[in-house]
Amino acid sequence: MNHGSYAHESGRPGSRGLRRGLFGLGAVVLVTGLSACSGSIEVPAINPTPTGDVNPGQVVWHEIVTPDVAASQKFYGGLFGWTFRTIKSDGFDYSIAMFGPRPIAGFLRPENWRGRTAAAEWVQFFSVADVDAALERITASGGSVIGGPENVPQRGRMALAEDTEGAPFGVLRSTSGDPDDTIDPPHNNFMWNELWTNDMGAAARFYDAVIGLESEVRPRQDGDYLLFSSDGRRRAGGFRIPQANIEPTWLPTVRVSDIKATVAKARQLGGEIVLEPRWDVVDGRVAIIADPQGAAVTVRQWEGSR
Amino acid sequence: MRARDAGGENMKKRVSGGRALWLALGLAAFLTACGGGAYMSVGGTIPVGWGGIHVGTSVPIGGW
């Protein structure tokens, strides 16, 4: 593992005790809600055709928490062409975003999410071989478990956690195995995930310890980039938060075919542009969009291949 | 994802405490009504999500 110049950094905000306790309530709803409802509803496996693969460190699932599932469906359906299978059960409002025949994300309205009733946020789930062992490592490494673990029929065993800086993420052992990680992501599908952190060294150590993600620092003109990998494959990235009004989080990236058209469409659908396409940021081929509920997603025009 | 003001940790503590107070008082419905990227004021500005945030500096995003 290469922590580069950040090997001796450390840092754990000391103001999170109260926040953790409150935020845990909503997270429990996210995970246990699925489990509680699973007796009467069908939550599809993440792979229509079981793979049997377990690729620890691979991001295998995404969920968005939103105060308005229908509005979020309208936005993401309009922006990326996703379709939805809506599941309603006793106040638990859940929906599966479909990319063709494949489920790619869950849309959820929890009663509250990490202490907030109107929060909107994307959360990605890492594949782990053993969820319970991962949770022990999370706790031992200074993170916190905020939901689960729970067995969700057809999907697998899953739990939610926060890293040492409070960035939420999930861990999942998929019943149907992990998706094929050798194919290029199609347009309008998730292609990448990036951690916004105040402490790249601490993040590198944490995700190595709990998920098994190796990391290396790649200097760039616009700042160092933390590249996470496992089993020889790139899994995610990370970088230092560039300004004071942003808290640590993970943001997913969706591959798009035309960045300008995507941004224009997002505006038309009521989204805000957090980061406009700019020539000095990936040659103007990347943008960050806040949906009308406030959740952010990165979009990237990318023509390469793995 | 939440944003915080430029005041740093001290402000963040006040914001967290303020949020807890609002919830304890059962004013969650008010928070809900203020969703969708709107802002409210409880001892400071509490953006709900990324609404209103603009990344104005260069950032090493897109390292795929």
Side-chain angles (χ1 to χ4, degrees):
Chain A
M1 179 173 182
N2 177 14
H3 290 155
S5 60
Y6 298 93
H8 300 293
E9 286 187 357
S10 64
R12 179 176 175 180
S15 62
R16 297 183 46 242
L18 174 62
R19 196 161 63 96
R20 276 184 176 170
L22 289 170
F23 290 0
L25 295 174
V28 168
V29 170
L30 175 60
V31 172
T32 60
L34 285 173
S35 178
C37 292
S38 58
S40 58
I41 63 174
E42 180 183 356
V43 178
I46 65 173
N47 290 299
T49 303
T51 65
D53 294 336
V54 180
N55 305 315
Q58 180 185 359
V59 177
V60 295
W61 185 247
H62 291 81
E63 302 259 331
I64 183 172
V65 292
T66 169
D68 190 335
V69 169
S72 295
Q73 286 180 341
K74 183 177 180 182
F75 181 81
Y76 289 99
L79 190 61
F80 299 133
W82 297 347
T83 58
F84 297 91
R85 289 177 52 189
T86 299
I87 301 166
K88 291 183 180 292
S89 178
D90 296 334
F92 183 70
D93 200 353
Y94 190 65
S95 181
I96 302 289
M98 306 293 292
F99 185 79
R102 184 181 191 83
I104 59 169
F107 280 50
L108 176 79
R109 182 186 60 79
E111 290 301 316
N112 68 69
W113 167 246
R114 304 203 298 149
R116 292 161 293 144
T117 57
E121 187 166 39
W122 279 100
V123 182
Q124 91 275 12
F125 285 75
F126 290 103
S127 170
V128 295
D130 185 326
V131 167
D132 298 84
L135 298 184
E136 290 181 7
R137 295 193 296 270
I138 288 168
T139 303
S141 300
S144 56
V145 178
I146 60 173
E150 293 288 343
N151 291 318
V152 179
Q154 300 190 77
R155 178 170 295 174
R157 189 162 178 80
M158 57 195 304
L160 285 160
E162 290 180 337
D163 68 15
T164 55
E165 293 184 285
F169 65 98
V171 291
L172 171 64
R173 174 63 190 265
S174 166
T175 301
S176 58
D178 294 337
D180 186 347
D181 64 349
T182 64
I183 59 175
D184 291 333
H187 293 136
N188 298 320
N189 205 336
F190 295 105
M191 63 172 284
W192 194 239
N193 293 270
E194 288 176 324
L195 175 67
W196 295 55
T197 175
N198 286 315
D199 190 333
M200 293 174 66
R205 290 188 292 274
F206 178 82
Y207 288 99
D208 178 28
V210 305
I211 306 292
L213 288 169
E214 298 180 342
S215 63
E216 60 177 303
V217 174
R218 294 194 170 184
R220 287 175 38 166
Q221 190 171 12
D222 43 11
D224 287 347
Y225 193 83
L226 191 62
L227 185 64
F228 293 104
S229 62
S230 68
D231 195 27
R233 294 193 174 279
R234 295 176 293 174
R235 302 299 189 190
F239 48 83
R240 188 183 300 279
I241 294 171
Q243 59 194 55
N245 64 341
I246 298 172
E247 287 194 347
T249 193
W250 283 92
L251 284 192
T253 300
V254 172
R255 184 184 184 187
V256 298
S257 59
D258 186 329
I259 191 71
K260 291 182 179 177
T262 300
V263 167
K265 185 68 174 178
R267 279 200 177 93
Q268 179 187 337
L269 292 166
E272 295 182 39
I273 311 306
V274 175
L275 174 67
E276 297 275 358
R278 298 189 336 217
W279 67 269
D280 61 333
V281 181
V282 198
D283 296 326
R285 295 175 182 269
V286 67
I288 301 173
I289 295 166
D291 69 28
Q293 283 63 52
V297 62
T298 302
V299 289
R300 170 83 187 274
Q301 181 179 329
W302 178 69
E303 289 89 16
S305 63
R306 290 180 189 246
Chain B
M1 178 63 174
R2 300 155 310 284
R4 64 173 186 262
D5 70 316
E9 288 302 310
N10 289 334
M11 190 64 202
K12 186 175 173 182
K13 289 178 182 177
R14 291 201 302 272
V15 167
S16 293
R19 183 186 295 119
L21 178 60
W22 278 95
L23 291 171
L25 293 174
L27 295 176
F30 177 72
L31 283 168
T32 302
C34 291
Y39 287 65
M40 60 174 292
S41 180
V42 182
T45 301
I46 305 176
V48 179
W50 286 74
I53 295 178
H54 176 66
V55 175
T57 59
S58 188
V59 56
I61 195 172
W64 161 271

